[in-house]
Amino acid sequence: AQSVTQLGSHVSVSEGALVLLRCNYSSSVPPYLFWYVQYPNQGLQLLLKYTSAATLVKGINGFEAEFKKSETSFHLTKPSAHMSDAAEYFCAVSVNTGNQFYFGTGTSLTVIP
Amino acid sequence: GAGVSQTPSNKVTEKGKYVELRCDPISGHTALYWYRQSLGQGPEFLIYFQGTGAADDSGLPNDRFFAVRPEGSVSTLKIQRTERGDSAVYLCASSLTSLDTQYFGPGTRLTVL
């Protein structure tokens, strides 16, 4: 079975500070991993995805995530937070069949000016 | 081009009533997913279509829920004998094929009184 755990339902950072959103997964087979962002009153949007190529994945808006198999983690980072990054972030896992996607409970990011 | 659209955007119904929620995927996308998102939770997988057939319906909570995609494009999620616990935002996503980037619609907020 697959599952995703996002540590910290709410994260606050100062504008210009490092953003770190944590995601740990469990999967009985090599996973595909995703980060999605949901801005207020908008639909989910893909930030980046890991599909067994390079372990460091770069996404949109300056975000990146590193797949660490030994730690079963896929944490999302951005070197310098911007006010426009304030949103809800979801980590998701899928197995190679692509049938089912399991989402975490989300982390709400607040950026303090 | 047009993204994934969902209608209605909001639906209020009474306990015991029947509802239909519609999803128009991006043209040419063969994979279509339905999710349910309750307050404070991540999207929960319901069903996955590949073309016209339901390739995986293991996420449907019970037999009150049913979905169709008769021509491999538009999909309808049908809920019979609605219960208050069905209240949630129902999300639809489509992708070119499974494991390609999923594009989400804005969702339908269902409220069962």
Side-chain angles (χ1 to χ4, degrees):
Chain A
Q2 292 73 41
S3 68
V4 171
T5 302
Q6 290 185 243
L7 296 176
S9 58
H10 297 275
V11 171
S12 293
V13 300
S14 298
E15 189 175 16
L18 172 71
V19 175
L20 171 60
L21 304 183
R22 299 178 186 274
C23 173
N24 288 87
Y25 69 91
S26 67
S27 176
S28 56
V29 297
Y32 291 80
L33 294 159
F34 307 80
W35 275 100
Y36 283 85
V37 61
Q38 188 171 31
Y39 298 104
N41 301 314
Q42 294 187 29
L44 284 156
Q45 179 182 358
L46 181 69
L47 269 179
L48 49 80
K49 63 180 178 181
Y50 166 77
T51 56
S52 74
T55 56
L56 182 63
V57 181
K58 294 187 184 297
I60 62 172
N61 301 336
F63 284 93
E64 63 182 35
E66 186 172 8
F67 171 66
K68 291 187 177 180
K69 184 178 179 180
S70 61
E71 299 177 8
T72 61
S73 69
F74 191 58
H75 302 330
L76 181 71
T77 61
K78 182 174 180 177
S80 177
H82 191 273
M83 296 298 295
S84 62
D85 294 328
E88 188 86 15
Y89 292 80
F90 294 93
C91 183
V93 63
S94 179
V95 296
N96 56 11
T97 59
N99 286 8
Q100 295 192 22
F101 285 73
Y102 298 88
F103 284 81
T105 53
T107 297
S108 177
L109 177 65
T110 300
V111 182
I112 304 167
Chain B
V4 178
S5 62
Q6 293 185 245
T7 53
S9 56
N10 280 284
K11 176 70 177 178
V12 180
T13 190
E14 293 180 343
K15 181 176 179 295
K17 298 291 188 182
Y18 167 83
V19 296
E20 289 189 353
L21 311 179
R22 177 187 168 107
C23 172
D24 278 89
I26 294 173
S27 177
H29 280 193
T30 63
L32 186 146
Y33 303 80
W34 281 100
Y35 297 87
R36 178 170 67 177
Q37 187 174 16
S38 301
L39 194 62
Q41 300 296 315
E44 173 193 6
F45 168 81
L46 295 178
I47 187 170
Y48 156 64
F49 286 91
Q50 180 57 48
T52 60
D56 188 337
D57 64 357
S58 62
L60 294 177
N62 51 60
D63 62 6
R64 295 187 298 106
F65 289 74
F66 189 70
V68 296
R69 194 185 185 199
E71 298 178 357
S73 178
V74 171
S75 177
T76 305
L77 179 65
K78 308 180 180 192
I79 310 174
Q80 299 177 320
R81 305 183 303 281
T82 52
E83 300 177 356
R84 293 193 179 88
D86 299 335
S87 296
V89 176
Y90 289 81
L91 299 170
C92 175
S94 72
S95 61
L96 197 58
T97 64
S98 65
L99 282 181
D100 281 315
T101 299
Q102 289 188 35
Y103 295 87
F104 281 80
T108 293
R109 182 176 299 279
L110 175 66
T111 303
V112 182
L113 301 177

